[in-house]
Amino acid sequence: MNAIVEELERLRVGLENSQTMVVRESTDGLKCSFIKHGLVQDDFMVKDEVVADVLSESGLTGIVEGKSFEKLRSNYGWFSVRVKSRKLLKELQ
């Protein structure tokens, strides 16, 4: 559960400190890049499949900017709860 908390924290910080998020699938997981003023502020691989699934289900693949980015940023708390509850449910099964 510690890895998921680290990934969620990294997403939160990335959303706070950038204007655009680029999400792309790779063989290792889901790669997230946070961009502000044309410069990459942070770049990391989401390896937890629950976090990757929730991001993908939210339609967050490709370039996330404008209203979609602001929506994710302002609703990040709900996104985080959704990930944590799915992870807990998966562990209980």
Side-chain angles (χ1 to χ4, degrees):
M1 190 82 158
N2 202 16
I4 193 171
V5 173
E6 290 174 14
E7 288 184 359
L8 287 172
E9 178 64 15
R10 198 121 180 232
L11 283 169
R12 185 190 64 76
V13 170
L15 289 168
E16 288 179 358
N17 298 317
S18 63
Q19 300 166 321
T20 304
M21 179 173 72
V22 177
V23 181
R24 56 197 174 277
E25 293 182 28
S26 76
T27 56
D28 298 330
L30 205 60
K31 185 159 182 138
C32 292
S33 301
F34 292 96
I35 302 167
K36 183 175 184 177
H37 302 299
L39 299 173
V40 175
Q41 302 295 313
D42 192 14
D43 189 40
F44 71 99
M45 187 70 64
V46 174
K47 294 184 178 182
D48 188 274
E49 74 178 55
V50 174
V51 178
D53 287 346
V54 173
L55 276 171
S56 296
E57 288 173 7
S58 301
L60 299 175
T61 53
I63 299 173
V64 182
E65 60 185 348
K67 289 182 181 179
S68 297
F69 184 83
E70 290 301 321
K71 183 178 177 183
L72 177 60
R73 182 189 293 180
S74 64
N75 292 325
Y76 178 78
W78 285 110
F79 173 84
S80 178
V81 167
R82 190 170 157 196
V83 168
K84 290 174 185 175
S85 62
R86 278 201 191 175
K87 188 70 171 183
L88 180 61
L89 182 61
K90 188 175 181 178
E91 288 181 12
L92 291 174
Q93 291 180 339

